[in-house]
Amino acid sequence: NAGVMQNPRHLVRRRGQEARLRCSPMKGHSHVYWYRQLPEEGLKFMVYLQKENIIDESGMPKERFSAEFPKEGPSILRIQQVVRGDSAAYFCASSPTFGGFTDTQYFGPGTRLTVL
Amino acid sequence: GESVGLHLPTLSVQEGDNSIINCAYSNSASDYFIWYKQESGKGPQFIIDIRSNMDKRQGQRVTVLLNKTVKHLSLQIAATQPGDSAVYFCAEIVSGNFGNEKLTFGTGTRLTIIP
């Protein structure tokens, strides 16, 4: 009964490098959400994806950030040419239904990205 | 812009006492709210939710109160335990641009239970 899995849990990159964050949703879940959390702040919505489709990317920075959720495999959040301001915790959540809430959006443990 | 925020960033409570965490929201169109608990190094965990047609909802040791008149939300935790130490976020549901819903989180309150 695995929950949402994210890897790596910790990622260190130097400025200018690329960061790839992976999220495996709960079994049977086809909706994935990515959030970013800066220290001492709440989570900020980035993007909502379904299999092979980006549904809502209104929270994604216009440049350097991209996300995908292929038919097979985990969802990937990709940050190109990282800068120090990208240092944050990135959380993935999954749900089994369209946009449904209450307790149907389950969060992973997060990936903590540090940019040196 | 619209936002969800909290009055107190930190709160220390003696074990066994009750705690109250407050949250103010500004989007009058929000009709659904959730409280999350986040322990160190972990993702948010759902605690309890409430819809705008309610003013109170109770769970196990937790109660959420909603005052729509002053746009205020609170989380009451009864008989606190050391395991209640965490950061607590209120979040409101807003409609996305594509018929989806997304969470808007407040800043959070760090609750520390003193043994």
Side-chain angles (χ1 to χ4, degrees):
Chain A
N1 187 22
V4 177
M5 300 179 69
Q6 291 187 248
N7 68 84
R9 294 293 310 276
H10 300 273
L11 182 61
V12 179
R13 285 287 178 267
R14 295 191 180 278
R15 281 179 295 170
Q17 293 184 318
E18 178 180 288
R20 279 180 176 249
L21 288 61
R22 296 174 183 77
C23 169
S24 296
M26 288 182 69
K27 187 176 181 180
H29 288 194
S30 58
H31 304 266
V32 167
Y33 313 78
W34 284 94
Y35 294 83
R36 177 164 61 178
Q37 184 178 34
L38 297 173
E40 302 298 309
E41 294 189 9
L43 282 71
K44 298 287 196 295
F45 169 81
M46 297 181 75
V47 62
Y48 161 52
L49 310 101
Q50 296 177 21
K51 286 282 188 181
E52 300 184 278
N53 284 301
I54 298 173
I55 306 301
D56 183 349
E57 56 182 347
S58 58
M60 288 277 272
K62 295 287 186 264
E63 298 177 345
R64 301 187 298 107
F65 285 72
S66 62
E68 63 178 12
F69 189 17
K71 186 176 180 180
E72 301 291 338
S75 175
I76 305 289
L77 179 67
R78 182 184 179 200
I79 311 173
Q80 295 177 289
Q81 299 172 350
V82 295
V83 300
R84 288 201 174 132
D86 296 333
S87 295
Y90 292 84
F91 289 95
C92 167
S94 73
S95 71
T97 57
F98 173 75
F101 280 83
T102 71
D103 61 344
T104 56
Q105 192 172 102
Y106 300 92
F107 282 85
T111 293
R112 277 143 189 88
L113 173 65
T114 301
V115 179
L116 301 178
Chain B
E2 302 283 14
S3 64
V4 179
L6 296 177
H7 293 306
L8 299 174
T10 61
L11 178 64
S12 295
V13 174
Q14 203 73 36
E15 182 179 355
D17 287 352
N18 299 334
S19 67
I20 299 176
I21 300 170
N22 297 302
C23 176
Y25 66 94
S26 57
N27 188 343
S28 57
S30 297
D31 62 2
Y32 184 53
F33 304 88
I34 302 176
W35 279 100
Y36 282 91
K37 172 186 181 182
Q38 187 176 25
E39 297 175 274
S40 181
K42 296 184 179 180
Q45 176 187 358
F46 173 91
I47 301 175
I48 193 168
D49 59 355
I50 190 168
R51 293 199 177 276
S52 61
N53 61 352
M54 305 170 69
D55 52 20
K56 180 179 181 179
R57 192 168 186 212
Q58 289 184 295
Q60 187 176 12
R61 288 200 302 118
V62 294
T63 300
V64 55
L65 299 176
L66 175 62
N67 186 331
K68 295 181 288 294
T69 302
V70 295
K71 298 178 187 173
H72 184 266
L73 197 67
S74 68
L75 176 70
Q76 300 177 2
I77 306 174
T80 53
Q81 304 168 357
D84 294 331
S85 294
V87 177
Y88 290 80
F89 295 95
C90 65
E92 62 179 324
I93 303 299
V94 296
S95 295
N97 297 328
F98 304 92
N100 58 311
E101 297 175 329
K102 57 190 179 187
L103 299 172
T104 296
F105 283 81
T107 304
T109 292
R110 185 177 302 279
L111 176 65
T112 301
I113 306 303
I114 304 168

